[in-house]
Amino acid sequence: MGKMICTECNREYSLEEKIWKCACGGLLDIDFQPHFPIDKIRQRKPTMWRYREAIPISEDQNIISFGEGFTPLIPVEFGGKIVWMKQDHLFPTGSYKDRGASVLISKVKELGIQNVVEDSSGNAGCAIAAYSAQAQIKCQIFVPQDTSPGKLAQIQLSGAQLNKIPGSREDTGRAALKAAAKDYYASHSWNPFFFQGTKTFAFEVCEQLGWRSPDSIVVPVGNGTLLLGAYIGFQELLKAGIIQRVPRIMGVQSAHCAPLYRAFKEGLREIPKIDPQNTLAEGIAIAEPIRGRQILEAVKESRGDFIAVDDSEIKKSLRDLCKKGFYIEPTSAATTAGLSKYLQVPNADEIVVSVLTGHGLKATEKMLKILPEVNQGATI
Ligand SMILES: Cc1ncc(COP(=O)(O)O)c(C=O)c1O
Ligand SMILES: [Zn+2]
């Protein structure tokens, strides 16, 4: 029933092994044959688990779920054009990371693991902490010191042990890796089971569009958990003959921390060293994306591109979205700022899907801080 394969040395492992990387240190991918019994799927509850035969968890009794997913996909007008907006800020912990956490922690339960470690800019930590709480699994979360206080409260109140790490996001990653020498690393970027959850984004979008693929998707990208998950999902639907093509994937980065954007524009295969600056988009401020090469290949293969947006564009988009009634966190406004840029190139009949990834209530301090500027339009 599927296997894990090393992306460096091609070594294969059973899905029942308690590992998250290859013995050679390489990243693991999952090779699994999904099935899409569409008539059955249609009759099931509106959650991401309606695609049960496409998710590599053996026993139903191991599923850790809050009934998440199948978030609304609604038409929203952007500069005179209609975009289909997936409302993934409406997940139980307030971000799309619940897709990955539900599948990964279900797998952790299936493997009989009692302790997990995760590092995050905040939202993945919130999700792993909540699903670990339901599974009664001990959880340690590492976050950068300046993570939004709302996310810190959420992690701690879920019963996880919180470790605030001074320095960069990469310093936080290194601290978690050290702890993962002892406990299982439930990492959203390393662990391949996380992507088996985020791929349900593609399934839902296609089903909600009447089992067809959009022409393009505009998604945020830091470590690429949504971007790569969506790519895997669309590929699986293509192989199953359900859709005829994979959409163009547009990845949005913060201009203050845009290693993938730079690599793509300069035609590099490896991720360049960058000097990241502070950005409002804390969720996508990843200077060294572990799956960087895979992300570049996925975007290239889909005939997509990268878009970079600066903090003033993020603020402007945040104001616009909030005024439409979508209360999202600044990281999500980076996506919509990128979307507005993308739509400047006219393509009348194109079906465009984008996504709201995180709820505004998670970042109240940041929202209050930028409120005066947004009201006065000072830096906008
Ligand atoms: C709200 C929000 N949007 C988008 C992302 C980007 O996810 P990734 O780094 O996996 O590309 C994150 C990651 O933390 C996030 O919190
Ligand atoms: Zn290997």
mmCIF file of all heavy atoms in Angstrom, residues 66 91-98 101-102 105 118-134 139-143 147-160 162 188 194 282 329 362-363:
data_model
loop_
_atom_site.group_PDB
_atom_site.id
_atom_site.type_symbol
_atom_site.label_atom_id
_atom_site.label_comp_id
_atom_site.label_asym_id
_atom_site.label_seq_id
_atom_site.Cartn_x
_atom_site.Cartn_y
_atom_site.Cartn_z
ATOM 1 N N PHE A 66 -11.152 16.972 13.055
ATOM 2 C CA PHE A 66 -12.180 17.854 13.631
ATOM 3 C C PHE A 66 -13.295 18.092 12.600
ATOM 4 O O PHE A 66 -14.014 19.082 12.677
ATOM 5 C CB PHE A 66 -11.563 19.202 14.035
ATOM 6 C CG PHE A 66 -10.597 19.126 15.188
ATOM 7 C CD1 PHE A 66 -9.228 19.095 14.965
ATOM 8 C CD2 PHE A 66 -11.049 19.076 16.499
ATOM 9 C CE1 PHE A 66 -8.322 19.039 16.022
ATOM 10 C CE2 PHE A 66 -10.159 19.016 17.567
ATOM 11 C CZ PHE A 66 -8.789 18.995 17.327
ATOM 12 N N PHE A 91 -10.458 27.045 8.705
ATOM 13 C CA PHE A 91 -10.173 25.735 9.314
ATOM 14 C C PHE A 91 -10.245 25.822 10.844
ATOM 15 O O PHE A 91 -10.155 26.919 11.402
ATOM 16 C CB PHE A 91 -8.773 25.282 8.877
ATOM 17 C CG PHE A 91 -8.793 24.421 7.647
ATOM 18 C CD1 PHE A 91 -8.651 24.978 6.391
ATOM 19 C CD2 PHE A 91 -8.969 23.048 7.757
ATOM 20 C CE1 PHE A 91 -8.682 24.184 5.259
ATOM 21 C CE2 PHE A 91 -8.997 22.249 6.630
ATOM 22 C CZ PHE A 91 -8.847 22.808 5.379
ATOM 23 N N PRO A 92 -10.369 24.654 11.526
ATOM 24 C CA PRO A 92 -10.512 24.678 12.993
ATOM 25 C C PRO A 92 -9.437 25.479 13.736
ATOM 26 O O PRO A 92 -9.745 26.176 14.696
ATOM 27 C CB PRO A 92 -10.443 23.198 13.375
ATOM 28 C CG PRO A 92 -10.900 22.471 12.166
ATOM 29 C CD PRO A 92 -10.483 23.301 10.984
ATOM 30 N N THR A 93 -8.183 25.388 13.326
ATOM 31 C CA THR A 93 -7.171 26.187 14.046
ATOM 32 C C THR A 93 -6.904 27.509 13.330
ATOM 33 O O THR A 93 -5.990 28.242 13.710
ATOM 34 C CB THR A 93 -5.840 25.429 14.271
ATOM 35 O OG1 THR A 93 -5.075 25.411 13.060
ATOM 36 C CG2 THR A 93 -6.056 24.013 14.774
ATOM 37 N N GLY A 94 -7.647 27.808 12.289
ATOM 38 C CA GLY A 94 -7.544 29.112 11.640
ATOM 39 C C GLY A 94 -6.561 29.198 10.493
ATOM 40 O O GLY A 94 -6.257 30.291 10.036
ATOM 41 N N SER A 95 -6.074 28.060 10.013
ATOM 42 C CA SER A 95 -5.252 28.096 8.794
ATOM 43 C C SER A 95 -5.329 26.760 8.066
ATOM 44 O O SER A 95 -5.697 25.732 8.649
ATOM 45 C CB SER A 95 -3.786 28.433 9.112
ATOM 46 O OG SER A 95 -3.034 27.260 9.343
ATOM 47 N N TYR A 96 -4.920 26.797 6.795
ATOM 48 C CA TYR A 96 -4.964 25.589 5.957
ATOM 49 C C TYR A 96 -4.027 24.495 6.444
ATOM 50 O O TYR A 96 -4.100 23.352 5.969
ATOM 51 C CB TYR A 96 -4.596 25.959 4.509
ATOM 52 C CG TYR A 96 -3.111 26.063 4.308
ATOM 53 C CD1 TYR A 96 -2.367 24.962 3.891
ATOM 54 C CD2 TYR A 96 -2.426 27.241 4.587
ATOM 55 C CE1 TYR A 96 -0.994 25.031 3.751
ATOM 56 C CE2 TYR A 96 -1.057 27.326 4.446
ATOM 57 C CZ TYR A 96 -0.346 26.218 4.031
ATOM 58 O OH TYR A 96 1.015 26.279 3.902
ATOM 59 N N LYS A 97 -3.155 24.815 7.404
ATOM 60 C CA LYS A 97 -2.196 23.813 7.891
ATOM 61 C C LYS A 97 -2.908 22.616 8.511
ATOM 62 O O LYS A 97 -2.316 21.551 8.651
ATOM 63 C CB LYS A 97 -1.244 24.425 8.910
ATOM 64 C CG LYS A 97 -0.471 25.617 8.410
ATOM 65 C CD LYS A 97 0.783 25.253 7.662
ATOM 66 C CE LYS A 97 1.580 26.501 7.326
ATOM 67 N NZ LYS A 97 2.734 26.270 6.484
ATOM 68 N N ASP A 98 -4.179 22.786 8.869
ATOM 69 C CA ASP A 98 -4.940 21.660 9.422
ATOM 70 C C ASP A 98 -5.039 20.509 8.422
ATOM 71 O O ASP A 98 -5.154 19.346 8.816
ATOM 72 C CB ASP A 98 -6.354 22.110 9.826
ATOM 73 C CG ASP A 98 -6.334 23.035 11.038
ATOM 74 O OD1 ASP A 98 -5.244 23.290 11.572
ATOM 75 O OD2 ASP A 98 -7.419 23.514 11.439
ATOM 76 N N ALA A 101 -1.840 18.667 9.054
ATOM 77 C CA ALA A 101 -1.755 18.160 10.426
ATOM 78 C C ALA A 101 -2.695 16.973 10.630
ATOM 79 O O ALA A 101 -2.347 15.999 11.312
ATOM 80 C CB ALA A 101 -2.076 19.264 11.416
ATOM 81 N N SER A 102 -3.882 17.026 10.034
ATOM 82 C CA SER A 102 -4.842 15.929 10.220
ATOM 83 C C SER A 102 -4.265 14.618 9.695
ATOM 84 O O SER A 102 -4.328 13.579 10.364
ATOM 85 C CB SER A 102 -6.163 16.272 9.508
ATOM 86 O OG SER A 102 -7.120 15.273 9.750
ATOM 87 N N ILE A 105 -0.744 13.686 11.779
ATOM 88 C CA ILE A 105 -0.937 13.186 13.147
ATOM 89 C C ILE A 105 -1.734 11.874 13.140
ATOM 90 O O ILE A 105 -1.530 11.014 13.992
ATOM 91 C CB ILE A 105 -1.565 14.271 14.060
ATOM 92 C CG1 ILE A 105 -0.615 15.488 14.157
ATOM 93 C CG2 ILE A 105 -1.858 13.732 15.449
ATOM 94 C CD1 ILE A 105 0.799 15.190 14.699
ATOM 95 N N GLU A 118 7.934 19.803 16.304
ATOM 96 C CA GLU A 118 7.666 20.558 15.077
ATOM 97 C C GLU A 118 8.211 21.972 15.248
ATOM 98 O O GLU A 118 8.253 22.506 16.358
ATOM 99 C CB GLU A 118 6.141 20.577 14.812
ATOM 100 C CG GLU A 118 5.599 21.728 13.965
ATOM 101 C CD GLU A 118 5.836 21.632 12.473
ATOM 102 O OE1 GLU A 118 6.941 21.235 12.079
ATOM 103 O OE2 GLU A 118 4.920 21.981 11.703
ATOM 104 N N ASP A 119 8.669 22.575 14.161
ATOM 105 C CA ASP A 119 9.042 23.982 14.208
ATOM 106 C C ASP A 119 8.236 24.707 13.146
ATOM 107 O O ASP A 119 7.894 24.121 12.115
ATOM 108 C CB ASP A 119 10.532 24.161 13.948
ATOM 109 C CG ASP A 119 10.927 23.650 12.583
ATOM 110 O OD1 ASP A 119 10.875 22.434 12.390
ATOM 111 O OD2 ASP A 119 11.276 24.466 11.712
ATOM 112 N N SER A 120 7.965 25.994 13.396
ATOM 113 C CA SER A 120 6.978 26.658 12.558
ATOM 114 C C SER A 120 7.081 28.156 12.741
ATOM 115 O O SER A 120 7.589 28.635 13.759
ATOM 116 C CB SER A 120 5.610 26.135 13.020
ATOM 117 O OG SER A 120 4.586 27.049 12.804
ATOM 118 N N SER A 121 6.584 28.888 11.744
ATOM 119 C CA SER A 121 6.460 30.332 11.926
ATOM 120 C C SER A 121 5.211 30.630 12.745
ATOM 121 O O SER A 121 4.909 31.777 13.039
ATOM 122 C CB SER A 121 6.375 31.020 10.568
ATOM 123 O OG SER A 121 5.218 30.572 9.896
ATOM 124 N N GLY A 122 4.465 29.598 13.114
ATOM 125 C CA GLY A 122 3.300 29.777 13.980
ATOM 126 C C GLY A 122 2.137 28.874 13.633
ATOM 127 O O GLY A 122 1.735 28.021 14.427
ATOM 128 N N ASN A 123 1.612 29.008 12.421
ATOM 129 C CA ASN A 123 0.366 28.300 12.094
ATOM 130 C C ASN A 123 0.496 26.786 12.049
ATOM 131 O O ASN A 123 -0.392 26.066 12.519
ATOM 132 C CB ASN A 123 -0.183 28.818 10.766
ATOM 133 C CG ASN A 123 -0.869 30.155 10.937
ATOM 134 O OD1 ASN A 123 -1.388 30.451 12.010
ATOM 135 N ND2 ASN A 123 -0.859 30.975 9.899
ATOM 136 N N ALA A 124 1.584 26.286 11.478
ATOM 137 C CA ALA A 124 1.749 24.827 11.446
ATOM 138 C C ALA A 124 1.883 24.309 12.875
ATOM 139 O O ALA A 124 1.377 23.234 13.210
ATOM 140 C CB ALA A 124 2.964 24.440 10.609
ATOM 141 N N GLY A 125 2.538 25.104 13.723
ATOM 142 C CA GLY A 125 2.664 24.721 15.137
ATOM 143 C C GLY A 125 1.300 24.647 15.811
ATOM 144 O O GLY A 125 1.016 23.719 16.575
ATOM 145 N N CYS A 126 0.436 25.633 15.516
ATOM 146 C CA CYS A 126 -0.928 25.628 16.082
ATOM 147 C C CYS A 126 -1.663 24.362 15.645
ATOM 148 O O CYS A 126 -2.372 23.724 16.439
ATOM 149 C CB CYS A 126 -1.717 26.836 15.597
ATOM 150 S SG CYS A 126 -1.071 28.417 16.145
ATOM 151 N N ALA A 127 -1.518 24.015 14.381
ATOM 152 C CA ALA A 127 -2.243 22.866 13.838
ATOM 153 C C ALA A 127 -1.711 21.554 14.428
ATOM 154 O O ALA A 127 -2.490 20.717 14.911
ATOM 155 C CB ALA A 127 -2.132 22.846 12.312
ATOM 156 N N ILE A 128 -0.396 21.389 14.423
ATOM 157 C CA ILE A 128 0.190 20.151 14.973
ATOM 158 C C ILE A 128 -0.154 20.028 16.459
ATOM 159 O O ILE A 128 -0.475 18.940 16.959
ATOM 160 C CB ILE A 128 1.721 20.120 14.755
ATOM 161 C CG1 ILE A 128 2.063 20.030 13.254
ATOM 162 C CG2 ILE A 128 2.373 18.975 15.534
ATOM 163 C CD1 ILE A 128 1.732 18.712 12.575
ATOM 164 N N ALA A 129 -0.147 21.154 17.183
ATOM 165 C CA ALA A 129 -0.465 21.121 18.617
ATOM 166 C C ALA A 129 -1.914 20.671 18.839
ATOM 167 O O ALA A 129 -2.198 19.838 19.709
ATOM 168 C CB ALA A 129 -0.232 22.498 19.231
ATOM 169 N N ALA A 130 -2.842 21.201 18.045
ATOM 170 C CA ALA A 130 -4.261 20.868 18.248
ATOM 171 C C ALA A 130 -4.553 19.402 17.907
ATOM 172 O O ALA A 130 -5.266 18.708 18.641
ATOM 173 C CB ALA A 130 -5.129 21.785 17.387
ATOM 174 N N TYR A 131 -4.004 18.932 16.794
ATOM 175 C CA TYR A 131 -4.265 17.541 16.398
ATOM 176 C C TYR A 131 -3.551 16.573 17.338
ATOM 177 O O TYR A 131 -4.083 15.499 17.646
ATOM 178 C CB TYR A 131 -3.902 17.317 14.915
ATOM 179 C CG TYR A 131 -4.946 17.940 14.013
ATOM 180 C CD1 TYR A 131 -4.940 19.312 13.753
ATOM 181 C CD2 TYR A 131 -5.988 17.180 13.485
ATOM 182 C CE1 TYR A 131 -5.930 19.909 12.975
ATOM 183 C CE2 TYR A 131 -6.980 17.767 12.701
ATOM 184 C CZ TYR A 131 -6.942 19.127 12.456
ATOM 185 O OH TYR A 131 -7.929 19.711 11.703
ATOM 186 N N SER A 132 -2.388 16.959 17.847
ATOM 187 C CA SER A 132 -1.706 16.128 18.844
ATOM 188 C C SER A 132 -2.539 16.057 20.114
ATOM 189 O O SER A 132 -2.608 15.010 20.772
ATOM 190 C CB SER A 132 -0.323 16.697 19.178
ATOM 191 O OG SER A 132 0.527 16.614 18.067
ATOM 192 N N ALA A 133 -3.179 17.183 20.454
ATOM 193 C CA ALA A 133 -4.027 17.205 21.651
ATOM 194 C C ALA A 133 -5.158 16.182 21.501
ATOM 195 O O ALA A 133 -5.414 15.381 22.404
ATOM 196 C CB ALA A 133 -4.596 18.604 21.870
ATOM 197 N N GLN A 134 -5.808 16.197 20.326
ATOM 198 C CA GLN A 134 -6.900 15.227 20.147
ATOM 199 C C GLN A 134 -6.372 13.786 20.191
ATOM 200 O O GLN A 134 -7.020 12.890 20.719
ATOM 201 C CB GLN A 134 -7.637 15.450 18.819
ATOM 202 C CG GLN A 134 -8.863 14.555 18.741
ATOM 203 C CD GLN A 134 -9.606 14.612 17.400
ATOM 204 O OE1 GLN A 134 -9.816 13.592 16.771
ATOM 205 N NE2 GLN A 134 -10.011 15.793 17.002
ATOM 206 N N CYS A 139 3.666 16.889 22.518
ATOM 207 C CA CYS A 139 4.073 17.713 21.389
ATOM 208 C C CYS A 139 4.951 18.865 21.860
ATOM 209 O O CYS A 139 4.632 19.544 22.836
ATOM 210 C CB CYS A 139 2.760 18.218 20.785
ATOM 211 S SG CYS A 139 2.934 19.372 19.483
ATOM 212 N N GLN A 140 6.051 19.057 21.147
ATOM 213 C CA GLN A 140 6.955 20.200 21.415
ATOM 214 C C GLN A 140 6.994 21.064 20.183
ATOM 215 O O GLN A 140 7.282 20.563 19.087
ATOM 216 C CB GLN A 140 8.366 19.669 21.598
ATOM 217 C CG GLN A 140 8.837 19.500 23.002
ATOM 218 C CD GLN A 140 10.371 19.444 23.003
ATOM 219 O OE1 GLN A 140 11.032 20.470 22.947
ATOM 220 N NE2 GLN A 140 10.895 18.242 23.033
ATOM 221 N N ILE A 141 6.725 22.347 20.326
ATOM 222 C CA ILE A 141 6.725 23.252 19.166
ATOM 223 C C ILE A 141 7.810 24.318 19.335
ATOM 224 O O ILE A 141 7.884 24.973 20.384
ATOM 225 C CB ILE A 141 5.351 23.952 19.012
ATOM 226 C CG1 ILE A 141 4.201 22.928 18.916
ATOM 227 C CG2 ILE A 141 5.361 24.888 17.805
ATOM 228 C CD1 ILE A 141 4.108 22.155 17.635
ATOM 229 N N PHE A 142 8.609 24.496 18.306
ATOM 230 C CA PHE A 142 9.636 25.535 18.274
ATOM 231 C C PHE A 142 9.172 26.651 17.336
ATOM 232 O O PHE A 142 8.760 26.367 16.210
ATOM 233 C CB PHE A 142 10.962 24.959 17.767
ATOM 234 C CG PHE A 142 11.601 23.994 18.730
ATOM 235 C CD1 PHE A 142 11.116 22.705 18.877
ATOM 236 C CD2 PHE A 142 12.698 24.388 19.484
ATOM 237 C CE1 PHE A 142 11.695 21.813 19.769
ATOM 238 C CE2 PHE A 142 13.285 23.501 20.375
ATOM 239 C CZ PHE A 142 12.783 22.220 20.525
ATOM 240 N N VAL A 143 9.229 27.891 17.827
ATOM 241 C CA VAL A 143 8.843 29.040 16.981
ATOM 242 C C VAL A 143 9.870 30.157 17.140
ATOM 243 O O VAL A 143 10.544 30.243 18.170
ATOM 244 C CB VAL A 143 7.448 29.610 17.365
ATOM 245 C CG1 VAL A 143 6.344 28.621 17.102
ATOM 246 C CG2 VAL A 143 7.435 30.079 18.817
ATOM 247 N N THR A 147 7.085 35.528 16.911
ATOM 248 C CA THR A 147 5.822 34.995 16.366
ATOM 249 C C THR A 147 4.618 35.695 17.009
ATOM 250 O O THR A 147 4.671 36.055 18.186
ATOM 251 C CB THR A 147 5.760 33.467 16.635
ATOM 252 O OG1 THR A 147 6.861 32.859 15.984
ATOM 253 C CG2 THR A 147 4.472 32.850 16.131
ATOM 254 N N SER A 148 3.551 35.881 16.228
ATOM 255 C CA SER A 148 2.346 36.564 16.743
ATOM 256 C C SER A 148 1.864 35.923 18.043
ATOM 257 O O SER A 148 1.697 34.699 18.114
ATOM 258 C CB SER A 148 1.216 36.491 15.711
ATOM 259 O OG SER A 148 1.525 37.295 14.611
ATOM 260 N N PRO A 149 1.612 36.766 19.084
ATOM 261 C CA PRO A 149 1.211 36.236 20.391
ATOM 262 C C PRO A 149 -0.037 35.353 20.343
ATOM 263 O O PRO A 149 -0.166 34.402 21.118
ATOM 264 C CB PRO A 149 0.944 37.494 21.218
ATOM 265 C CG PRO A 149 1.734 38.567 20.557
ATOM 266 C CD PRO A 149 1.784 38.227 19.103
ATOM 267 N N GLY A 150 -0.952 35.646 19.436
ATOM 268 C CA GLY A 150 -2.166 34.822 19.324
ATOM 269 C C GLY A 150 -1.834 33.373 19.005
ATOM 270 O O GLY A 150 -2.451 32.437 19.529
ATOM 271 N N LYS A 151 -0.850 33.192 18.154
ATOM 272 C CA LYS A 151 -0.435 31.831 17.778
ATOM 273 C C LYS A 151 0.266 31.148 18.957
ATOM 274 O O LYS A 151 0.082 29.952 19.200
ATOM 275 C CB LYS A 151 0.479 31.879 16.549
ATOM 276 C CG LYS A 151 -0.216 32.437 15.309
ATOM 277 C CD LYS A 151 0.711 32.574 14.119
ATOM 278 C CE LYS A 151 0.008 33.319 12.982
ATOM 279 N NZ LYS A 151 0.861 33.581 11.821
ATOM 280 N N LEU A 152 1.055 31.938 19.715
ATOM 281 C CA LEU A 152 1.753 31.376 20.882
ATOM 282 C C LEU A 152 0.750 30.895 21.926
ATOM 283 O O LEU A 152 0.907 29.813 22.507
ATOM 284 C CB LEU A 152 2.687 32.422 21.503
ATOM 285 C CG LEU A 152 3.777 33.000 20.595
ATOM 286 C CD1 LEU A 152 4.662 33.970 21.358
ATOM 287 C CD2 LEU A 152 4.616 31.887 19.972
ATOM 288 N N ALA A 153 -0.304 31.703 22.131
ATOM 289 C CA ALA A 153 -1.333 31.312 23.103
ATOM 290 C C ALA A 153 -2.015 30.028 22.654
ATOM 291 O O ALA A 153 -2.232 29.094 23.439
ATOM 292 C CB ALA A 153 -2.359 32.442 23.239
ATOM 293 N N GLN A 154 -2.322 29.990 21.367
ATOM 294 C CA GLN A 154 -3.034 28.827 20.814
ATOM 295 C C GLN A 154 -2.203 27.541 21.010
ATOM 296 O O GLN A 154 -2.738 26.506 21.417
ATOM 297 C CB GLN A 154 -3.256 29.091 19.326
ATOM 298 C CG GLN A 154 -4.391 28.316 18.715
ATOM 299 C CD GLN A 154 -4.564 28.661 17.235
ATOM 300 O OE1 GLN A 154 -3.920 29.568 16.704
ATOM 301 N NE2 GLN A 154 -5.429 27.929 16.576
ATOM 302 N N ILE A 155 -0.926 27.618 20.728
ATOM 303 C CA ILE A 155 -0.040 26.452 20.856
ATOM 304 C C ILE A 155 -0.003 25.991 22.316
ATOM 305 O O ILE A 155 -0.175 24.811 22.626
ATOM 306 C CB ILE A 155 1.388 26.803 20.354
ATOM 307 C CG1 ILE A 155 1.374 26.989 18.831
ATOM 308 C CG2 ILE A 155 2.393 25.729 20.774
ATOM 309 C CD1 ILE A 155 2.632 27.642 18.258
ATOM 310 N N GLN A 156 0.185 26.966 23.230
ATOM 311 C CA GLN A 156 0.331 26.596 24.638
ATOM 312 C C GLN A 156 -0.966 26.065 25.229
ATOM 313 O O GLN A 156 -0.970 25.105 25.991
ATOM 314 C CB GLN A 156 0.809 27.806 25.447
ATOM 315 C CG GLN A 156 2.271 28.098 25.183
ATOM 316 C CD GLN A 156 2.692 29.419 25.783
ATOM 317 O OE1 GLN A 156 2.274 30.481 25.333
ATOM 318 N NE2 GLN A 156 3.508 29.361 26.810
ATOM 319 N N LEU A 157 -2.093 26.708 24.862
ATOM 320 C CA LEU A 157 -3.367 26.256 25.421
ATOM 321 C C LEU A 157 -3.776 24.888 24.887
ATOM 322 O O LEU A 157 -4.590 24.197 25.485
ATOM 323 C CB LEU A 157 -4.464 27.303 25.156
ATOM 324 C CG LEU A 157 -4.357 28.512 26.096
ATOM 325 C CD1 LEU A 157 -5.129 29.702 25.563
ATOM 326 C CD2 LEU A 157 -4.845 28.156 27.503
ATOM 327 N N SER A 158 -3.192 24.484 23.748
ATOM 328 C CA SER A 158 -3.464 23.126 23.249
ATOM 329 C C SER A 158 -2.656 22.093 24.037
ATOM 330 O O SER A 158 -2.752 20.905 23.764
ATOM 331 C CB SER A 158 -3.095 23.013 21.765
ATOM 332 O OG SER A 158 -3.813 23.945 21.010
ATOM 333 N N GLY A 159 -1.835 22.564 24.961
ATOM 334 C CA GLY A 159 -1.093 21.639 25.813
ATOM 335 C C GLY A 159 0.289 21.297 25.296
ATOM 336 O O GLY A 159 0.980 20.448 25.864
ATOM 337 N N ALA A 160 0.718 21.959 24.226
ATOM 338 C CA ALA A 160 2.051 21.674 23.689
ATOM 339 C C ALA A 160 3.103 22.431 24.489
ATOM 340 O O ALA A 160 2.815 23.470 25.086
ATOM 341 C CB ALA A 160 2.126 22.092 22.227
ATOM 342 N N LEU A 162 6.000 24.883 24.407
ATOM 343 C CA LEU A 162 6.415 25.916 23.455
ATOM 344 C C LEU A 162 7.865 26.322 23.716
ATOM 345 O O LEU A 162 8.250 26.583 24.851
ATOM 346 C CB LEU A 162 5.508 27.142 23.600
ATOM 347 C CG LEU A 162 5.848 28.320 22.697
ATOM 348 C CD1 LEU A 162 5.492 28.023 21.245
ATOM 349 C CD2 LEU A 162 5.123 29.580 23.161
ATOM 350 N N HIS A 188 6.275 20.091 8.930
ATOM 351 C CA HIS A 188 5.427 20.305 7.753
ATOM 352 C C HIS A 188 6.260 20.404 6.482
ATOM 353 O O HIS A 188 5.728 20.250 5.389
ATOM 354 C CB HIS A 188 4.546 21.542 7.932
ATOM 355 C CG HIS A 188 5.289 22.811 8.167
ATOM 356 N ND1 HIS A 188 5.939 23.079 9.344
ATOM 357 C CD2 HIS A 188 5.495 23.885 7.383
ATOM 358 C CE1 HIS A 188 6.513 24.262 9.260
ATOM 359 N NE2 HIS A 188 6.268 24.776 8.082
ATOM 360 N N PHE A 194 2.639 15.198 5.589
ATOM 361 C CA PHE A 194 1.962 16.503 5.650
ATOM 362 C C PHE A 194 1.390 16.863 4.273
ATOM 363 O O PHE A 194 0.277 17.372 4.151
ATOM 364 C CB PHE A 194 2.940 17.585 6.131
ATOM 365 C CG PHE A 194 2.275 18.821 6.656
ATOM 366 C CD1 PHE A 194 1.921 18.943 7.992
ATOM 367 C CD2 PHE A 194 1.979 19.891 5.810
ATOM 368 C CE1 PHE A 194 1.291 20.083 8.475
ATOM 369 C CE2 PHE A 194 1.354 21.038 6.279
ATOM 370 C CZ PHE A 194 1.015 21.134 7.616
ATOM 371 N N GLU A 282 4.799 36.990 7.913
ATOM 372 C CA GLU A 282 5.660 36.105 8.705
ATOM 373 C C GLU A 282 5.571 34.644 8.253
ATOM 374 O O GLU A 282 6.542 33.897 8.339
ATOM 375 C CB GLU A 282 5.309 36.215 10.202
ATOM 376 C CG GLU A 282 3.893 35.717 10.549
ATOM 377 C CD GLU A 282 3.526 35.892 12.032
ATOM 378 O OE1 GLU A 282 4.253 36.577 12.755
ATOM 379 O OE2 GLU A 282 2.492 35.328 12.438
ATOM 380 N N GLU A 329 -5.075 37.217 7.954
ATOM 381 C CA GLU A 329 -3.811 37.704 8.519
ATOM 382 C C GLU A 329 -2.914 38.252 7.403
ATOM 383 O O GLU A 329 -3.121 37.928 6.218
ATOM 384 C CB GLU A 329 -3.127 36.609 9.325
ATOM 385 C CG GLU A 329 -2.646 35.413 8.537
ATOM 386 C CD GLU A 329 -1.757 34.507 9.397
ATOM 387 O OE1 GLU A 329 -0.625 34.915 9.691
ATOM 388 O OE2 GLU A 329 -2.210 33.402 9.761
ATOM 389 N N LYS A 362 -5.746 35.618 14.409
ATOM 390 C CA LYS A 362 -4.477 35.076 14.923
ATOM 391 C C LYS A 362 -3.415 36.151 15.098
ATOM 392 O O LYS A 362 -2.423 35.939 15.762
ATOM 393 C CB LYS A 362 -3.919 34.081 13.915
ATOM 394 C CG LYS A 362 -4.609 32.768 13.947
ATOM 395 C CD LYS A 362 -3.980 31.892 12.917
ATOM 396 C CE LYS A 362 -4.441 30.484 13.123
ATOM 397 N NZ LYS A 362 -3.414 29.646 13.682
ATOM 398 N N ALA A 363 -3.586 37.266 14.403
ATOM 399 C CA ALA A 363 -2.513 38.260 14.338
ATOM 400 C C ALA A 363 -3.010 39.618 14.805
ATOM 401 O O ALA A 363 -2.651 40.652 14.251
ATOM 402 C CB ALA A 363 -1.980 38.338 12.912
#
